[in-house]
Amino acid sequence: MLIADKKMWQQLMCLIVSCNYNNKLHILSDRLDDVHVTTVLNPPFVALKPNSEKMIGNDKYEGFVPDMLKKLTQILGVNFSINLVKDGKYGKCNHGNCTGMIGEVKRGKADLAIADITISPLRVLNVDFSQPFMTGGITTLVKNPEPNIRTVEDLIANGYRFLSYCCGSTERFFRTSKVSLHERIANNLVKVDSNSEGVDRVLNSDEKLAMLIEESSAKWHASQDCSLKVVGESMNSVGYGIGMAKGIAVKTAEGVFEVRTLIDHAILQMKYDSTLELLESKWWPKKC
Ligand code: GLU
């Protein structure tokens, strides 16, 4: 099938009828006219505009994700409504019950989860993910480290304590990894309720603190306050994907398409036309 014609994509995405494909497929309902996106506030992915209380709907938000959604609308011909995840969480799964954005898409409360959501081993058992739209790894953020501190080992040797967001893939990684450096960090880990709280503590505490934080967020915070520095190499590699209920599909005159395929198409297109690169340079300015 030729997919170059945008109009045809619009028709494809709008021609939603119920289907029994594979019995397992959920049906993305007529909500596809207005795809319900669940997300979380974490700048520069998603932030409230300074005057957001005077705005309604998507206009309240700014950042990499709202911009990416505008581009997805152009490519796929559907509109998206941005909603903040009710419990403020990314998502943990336990015996098939998931919290956060992962839980909302799994339970059909939202169609897509779009944020800096890490594609992780437990999550892929519970929801489908698109290809990554961004990759990176876990790094450490430290306030004005001494020049002799260049690696994470140096931080340990100099008595730093480590902070990590309580409820995401970073904390999980350190509890899972069998690398002895990571195990040592895990034994010395203080949990905080958000990345911003961790960064505030690094900036304002008299203690020697290092925040374990994914590269994308680390770089953004370091660009907002030049006393913050990223120390050492990334300790793993992660990808952020768009999450959705397993097997959701649309049936069209051309056949049944998994929504994941359509989203992958759009992500690859945004890679090929450099949209993603341009958005990264817009939202991650090199200030320091
Ligand atoms: N990206 C993480 C997740 O999806 C959240 C932030 C973190 O854990 O560093 O859970």
PDB file of all heavy atoms in Angstrom, residues 161-165 185-186 188-192 201 209:
ATOM      1  N   ARG A 161      26.349  10.905  48.517  1.00  0.00           N
ATOM      2  CA  ARG A 161      25.168  10.056  48.616  1.00  0.00           C
ATOM      3  C   ARG A 161      24.349  10.236  47.345  1.00  0.00           C
ATOM      4  O   ARG A 161      24.336  11.314  46.749  1.00  0.00           O
ATOM      5  CB  ARG A 161      24.323  10.441  49.827  1.00  0.00           C
ATOM      6  CG  ARG A 161      24.985  10.017  51.134  1.00  0.00           C
ATOM      7  CD  ARG A 161      23.958   9.747  52.208  1.00  0.00           C
ATOM      8  NE  ARG A 161      23.110  10.920  52.445  1.00  0.00           N
ATOM      9  CZ  ARG A 161      21.879  10.837  52.937  1.00  0.00           C
ATOM     10  NH1 ARG A 161      21.347   9.663  53.206  1.00  0.00           N
ATOM     11  NH2 ARG A 161      21.181  11.930  53.163  1.00  0.00           N
ATOM     12  N   PHE A 162      23.624   9.195  46.956  1.00  0.00           N
ATOM     13  CA  PHE A 162      22.887   9.237  45.696  1.00  0.00           C
ATOM     14  C   PHE A 162      21.391   9.378  45.929  1.00  0.00           C
ATOM     15  O   PHE A 162      20.832   8.731  46.814  1.00  0.00           O
ATOM     16  CB  PHE A 162      23.174   7.980  44.874  1.00  0.00           C
ATOM     17  CG  PHE A 162      24.594   7.919  44.392  1.00  0.00           C
ATOM     18  CD1 PHE A 162      25.578   7.310  45.158  1.00  0.00           C
ATOM     19  CD2 PHE A 162      24.953   8.506  43.188  1.00  0.00           C
ATOM     20  CE1 PHE A 162      26.900   7.280  44.739  1.00  0.00           C
ATOM     21  CE2 PHE A 162      26.270   8.479  42.752  1.00  0.00           C
ATOM     22  CZ  PHE A 162      27.249   7.855  43.527  1.00  0.00           C
ATOM     23  N   LEU A 163      20.765  10.207  45.107  1.00  0.00           N
ATOM     24  CA  LEU A 163      19.312  10.383  45.136  1.00  0.00           C
ATOM     25  C   LEU A 163      18.741   9.839  43.840  1.00  0.00           C
ATOM     26  O   LEU A 163      19.397   9.894  42.795  1.00  0.00           O
ATOM     27  CB  LEU A 163      18.947  11.874  45.198  1.00  0.00           C
ATOM     28  CG  LEU A 163      19.541  12.728  46.311  1.00  0.00           C
ATOM     29  CD1 LEU A 163      19.089  14.181  46.127  1.00  0.00           C
ATOM     30  CD2 LEU A 163      19.088  12.212  47.663  1.00  0.00           C
ATOM     31  N   SER A 164      17.505   9.337  43.911  1.00  0.00           N
ATOM     32  CA  SER A 164      16.854   8.892  42.687  1.00  0.00           C
ATOM     33  C   SER A 164      15.345   9.075  42.827  1.00  0.00           C
ATOM     34  O   SER A 164      14.796   8.947  43.924  1.00  0.00           O
ATOM     35  CB  SER A 164      17.193   7.419  42.445  1.00  0.00           C
ATOM     36  OG  SER A 164      16.237   6.831  41.625  1.00  0.00           O
ATOM     37  N   TYR A 165      14.710   9.374  41.719  1.00  0.00           N
ATOM     38  CA  TYR A 165      13.241   9.445  41.706  1.00  0.00           C
ATOM     39  C   TYR A 165      12.703   8.094  42.172  1.00  0.00           C
ATOM     40  O   TYR A 165      13.133   7.042  41.673  1.00  0.00           O
ATOM     41  CB  TYR A 165      12.777   9.806  40.288  1.00  0.00           C
ATOM     42  CG  TYR A 165      11.292   9.648  40.058  1.00  0.00           C
ATOM     43  CD1 TYR A 165      10.369  10.220  40.929  1.00  0.00           C
ATOM     44  CD2 TYR A 165      10.816   8.940  38.962  1.00  0.00           C
ATOM     45  CE1 TYR A 165       9.006  10.067  40.724  1.00  0.00           C
ATOM     46  CE2 TYR A 165       9.461   8.791  38.741  1.00  0.00           C
ATOM     47  CZ  TYR A 165       8.554   9.351  39.637  1.00  0.00           C
ATOM     48  OH  TYR A 165       7.218   9.187  39.419  1.00  0.00           O
ATOM     49  N   ILE A 185      25.798   1.610  44.424  1.00  0.00           N
ATOM     50  CA  ILE A 185      24.924   2.796  44.400  1.00  0.00           C
ATOM     51  C   ILE A 185      23.561   2.450  45.012  1.00  0.00           C
ATOM     52  O   ILE A 185      23.011   3.204  45.815  1.00  0.00           O
ATOM     53  CB  ILE A 185      24.758   3.317  42.954  1.00  0.00           C
ATOM     54  CG1 ILE A 185      26.095   3.883  42.456  1.00  0.00           C
ATOM     55  CG2 ILE A 185      23.667   4.374  42.880  1.00  0.00           C
ATOM     56  CD1 ILE A 185      26.097   4.265  40.991  1.00  0.00           C
ATOM     57  N   ALA A 186      23.042   1.266  44.644  1.00  0.00           N
ATOM     58  CA  ALA A 186      21.712   0.864  45.141  1.00  0.00           C
ATOM     59  C   ALA A 186      21.689   0.816  46.660  1.00  0.00           C
ATOM     60  O   ALA A 186      20.673   1.131  47.288  1.00  0.00           O
ATOM     61  CB  ALA A 186      21.333  -0.498  44.557  1.00  0.00           C
ATOM     62  N   ASN A 188      23.105   2.737  48.594  1.00  0.00           N
ATOM     63  CA  ASN A 188      23.395   4.075  49.124  1.00  0.00           C
ATOM     64  C   ASN A 188      22.427   5.078  48.508  1.00  0.00           C
ATOM     65  O   ASN A 188      22.772   6.206  48.227  1.00  0.00           O
ATOM     66  CB  ASN A 188      24.865   4.378  48.709  1.00  0.00           C
ATOM     67  CG  ASN A 188      25.397   5.657  49.266  1.00  0.00           C
ATOM     68  OD1 ASN A 188      24.757   6.297  50.097  1.00  0.00           O
ATOM     69  ND2 ASN A 188      26.556   6.066  48.776  1.00  0.00           N
ATOM     70  N   LEU A 189      21.181   4.582  48.260  1.00  0.00           N
ATOM     71  CA  LEU A 189      20.232   5.351  47.455  1.00  0.00           C
ATOM     72  C   LEU A 189      19.134   5.953  48.333  1.00  0.00           C
ATOM     73  O   LEU A 189      18.508   5.253  49.112  1.00  0.00           O
ATOM     74  CB  LEU A 189      19.591   4.389  46.444  1.00  0.00           C
ATOM     75  CG  LEU A 189      18.993   4.965  45.190  1.00  0.00           C
ATOM     76  CD1 LEU A 189      20.076   5.614  44.342  1.00  0.00           C
ATOM     77  CD2 LEU A 189      18.344   3.834  44.385  1.00  0.00           C
ATOM     78  N   VAL A 190      18.914   7.262  48.155  1.00  0.00           N
ATOM     79  CA  VAL A 190      17.819   7.929  48.863  1.00  0.00           C
ATOM     80  C   VAL A 190      16.763   8.272  47.821  1.00  0.00           C
ATOM     81  O   VAL A 190      17.068   8.865  46.783  1.00  0.00           O
ATOM     82  CB  VAL A 190      18.324   9.235  49.530  1.00  0.00           C
ATOM     83  CG1 VAL A 190      17.174   9.944  50.249  1.00  0.00           C
ATOM     84  CG2 VAL A 190      19.470   8.938  50.480  1.00  0.00           C
ATOM     85  N   LYS A 191      15.497   7.889  48.092  1.00  0.00           N
ATOM     86  CA  LYS A 191      14.449   8.136  47.096  1.00  0.00           C
ATOM     87  C   LYS A 191      13.803   9.501  47.309  1.00  0.00           C
ATOM     88  O   LYS A 191      13.577   9.908  48.444  1.00  0.00           O
ATOM     89  CB  LYS A 191      13.375   7.047  47.199  1.00  0.00           C
ATOM     90  CG  LYS A 191      13.906   5.679  46.831  1.00  0.00           C
ATOM     91  CD  LYS A 191      12.784   4.664  46.905  1.00  0.00           C
ATOM     92  CE  LYS A 191      13.354   3.263  46.997  1.00  0.00           C
ATOM     93  NZ  LYS A 191      12.318   2.287  47.269  1.00  0.00           N
ATOM     94  N   VAL A 192      13.508  10.161  46.194  1.00  0.00           N
ATOM     95  CA  VAL A 192      12.803  11.451  46.250  1.00  0.00           C
ATOM     96  C   VAL A 192      11.539  11.349  45.398  1.00  0.00           C
ATOM     97  O   VAL A 192      11.409  10.443  44.579  1.00  0.00           O
ATOM     98  CB  VAL A 192      13.702  12.612  45.739  1.00  0.00           C
ATOM     99  CG1 VAL A 192      14.850  12.868  46.681  1.00  0.00           C
ATOM    100  CG2 VAL A 192      14.213  12.326  44.321  1.00  0.00           C
ATOM    101  N   ARG A 201      17.335  19.413  46.032  1.00  0.00           N
ATOM    102  CA  ARG A 201      18.163  18.987  47.176  1.00  0.00           C
ATOM    103  C   ARG A 201      19.645  19.053  46.827  1.00  0.00           C
ATOM    104  O   ARG A 201      20.454  19.466  47.644  1.00  0.00           O
ATOM    105  CB  ARG A 201      17.763  17.578  47.620  1.00  0.00           C
ATOM    106  CG  ARG A 201      16.456  17.634  48.410  1.00  0.00           C
ATOM    107  CD  ARG A 201      16.010  16.288  48.891  1.00  0.00           C
ATOM    108  NE  ARG A 201      16.928  15.648  49.830  1.00  0.00           N
ATOM    109  CZ  ARG A 201      16.657  14.514  50.471  1.00  0.00           C
ATOM    110  NH1 ARG A 201      15.491  13.916  50.278  1.00  0.00           N
ATOM    111  NH2 ARG A 201      17.526  13.975  51.298  1.00  0.00           N
ATOM    112  N   LEU A 209      25.613  15.497  47.567  1.00  0.00           N
ATOM    113  CA  LEU A 209      24.549  14.693  46.967  1.00  0.00           C
ATOM    114  C   LEU A 209      24.717  14.622  45.453  1.00  0.00           C
ATOM    115  O   LEU A 209      25.120  15.606  44.813  1.00  0.00           O
ATOM    116  CB  LEU A 209      23.176  15.307  47.283  1.00  0.00           C
ATOM    117  CG  LEU A 209      22.751  15.346  48.748  1.00  0.00           C
ATOM    118  CD1 LEU A 209      21.414  16.078  48.887  1.00  0.00           C
ATOM    119  CD2 LEU A 209      22.646  13.934  49.322  1.00  0.00           C
TER     120      LEU A 209
END
